[in-house]
Amino acid sequence: MTRPPLKKKVAVPLVLAVLFGLAWYVLSRLMPELPAGATDQQRMTRAANEWAVTVAQIAFWMSVALVAVRALNELTFFIFRKRKGYDAPALMRDLFSLVLFVTAGAAILKYTLDLSFAALLPGSALLGIVLGLALQDTLGNLFSGISLHADKPFQLGDVITVGKHTGVVSSITWRAVKIKTFSNHIVLVGNTSIAKESIEVCPQNGQNARIVFFSAAYTDSPVKVIHEVREAVREAENVLRYITPVVRVRGLGESGVDYEVKYWLSDYTRYNDTDALIRQRIWYAFRRNGFTFPFPTRTVLMEEVAAQNGGGRDAETLAGLLSAVDIFSPLTPEELNALALASKNHVFAPGETIIRAGDDGDSMFVVSRGGVDVRVDSNGAPRTINRLGEGAFFGEMALFTGEPRTANVVASEETEVLEIGHDAMRGLFRTNPDLVEALSHAINERRAGLLANASVSAGEEDTHDGLLSKIKRFFGLD
Ligand code: CMP
């Protein structure tokens, strides 16, 4: 609410002061003298005239007081603005004027009618009670308004939620806080309600965040979904550039994986539009990357066993992948097919441990997608001694020698591995003696790598022949 200009506020009472001053002067001049032995009629005329003079006098002084208070108010709050750099709240200005008016009024009553506040008090006690009861709500609002101005829990332009109303604070007066809702409605919340209720405040220039929910199908990799959605929303309009949005899995729902995007806004008052834009960006990210929004449906999976084991890929593709692993190159297509059917596919998130040093192990793995780090404990700190990519194998040392796992193997990115068990290998050893030979070479090479790390025990040291016969013995091939 804008205040009327000073000129207008001062001019009107000034004109009134002049008029009442003139009236006072004229009435005093016209006051008839009371002759000795005046009649009742003359006395009454004189008394009426005296009252008229007093009324004109009070009106004159009241108008002067009005001019003075308004001018003083302007001056005081002009200085306030200069010193503090912002306008004083309307409530403070109104209270300031009220106190001055009451003081001036008391002085005028004393001067003109010789009435003091103390004399008025007994008579006004009852009136006070009546007024107090009638103005209970108004006074409550006033006092709550004073404490609001002192506490300053929110400012003009902040978004607040009080009860069921959410909107932008457009004014704070001595009676109520005016909120403009997002449907452009004006809601007036009495200051007493504000003082009683809990208020949620989103400061205008604060780093306010919002959370938008979405879901993706179980077949879509969380690592990819999180990455693509984060990239898609971070540059959306009104999203704070310097805080990267957070995308995370919030639950495993009935129809799909449930996610949330937490993002920060430049202008919080536009959060409805920005939420909508974020959802739109998610839709496009899904479309570009071939992700699926899950529907609340029951899906009956009718897949071949081999496809299940191979993470959706058929046995032929997996056999092709295994044929590229150097130690399996001597195997026939039939043997590779049988190996693919007997293997199981597993998927690991970045940083997940696939093999733990010291554990027993009766299977080996082939990386079918992604990559792994081979880590050992070097003087108490983890150290990566090798990185294995697609087509590489690991876990063969424990499988073929029966000794504990020699290192930790950790997924360096989202990784799929094919697990091949003891039984599947035993059959191949009988028909492919070269396979045992190739394996013992690989194991010896890796042991050398392990031994290069002083604090690592690579298991018993064996000669090539010693290792060969150990593998044969372990698999009952002798
Ligand atoms: P295993 O001992 O069963 O479990 C840990 C695996 O890490 C081990 O088998 C090997 O497959 C692998 N590994 C150990 N040392 C090396 C190395 N120097 N280079 C590559 N892989 C290794």
Side-chain angles (χ1 to χ4, degrees), residues 355-357 359 361 363-364 374-376 385-388 393-401 403-409 445-451 453:
I355 277 182
R356 228 170 235 101
D359 284 358
S363 57
M364 64 175 285
V374 180
R375 291 186 190 157
V376 293
I385 58 161
N386 212 339
R387 174 160 282 196
L388 306 175
F393 62 91
F394 60 90
E396 77 294 345
M397 291 168 90
L399 172 64
F400 298 124
T401 61
E403 287 163 7
R405 300 283 193 197
T406 52
N408 291 312
V409 181
E445 254 175 53
R446 288 183 170 179
R447 277 191 170 171
L450 284 170
L451 283 168
N453 294 278

Side-chain angles (χ1 to χ4, degrees), residues 16-50:
L16 287 177
V18 172
L19 289 179
F20 290 129
L22 272 176
W24 177 17
Y25 175 77
V26 172
L27 286 169
S28 323
R29 282 272 157 168
L30 295 179
M31 180 93 76
E33 286 297 321
L34 258 194
T39 61
D40 282 352
Q41 177 67 32
Q42 283 173 319
R43 273 206 191 91
M44 275 172 65
T45 314
R46 163 87 190 189
N49 225 306
E50 274 175 3

Side-chain angles (χ1 to χ4, degrees), residues 229-236 239-241 243-245 278:
V229 169
R230 189 175 49 225
E231 290 310 304
V233 303
R234 66 190 303 171
E235 305 234 304
V239 172
L240 265 189
R241 290 285 176 273
I243 309 183
T244 310
I278 295 289

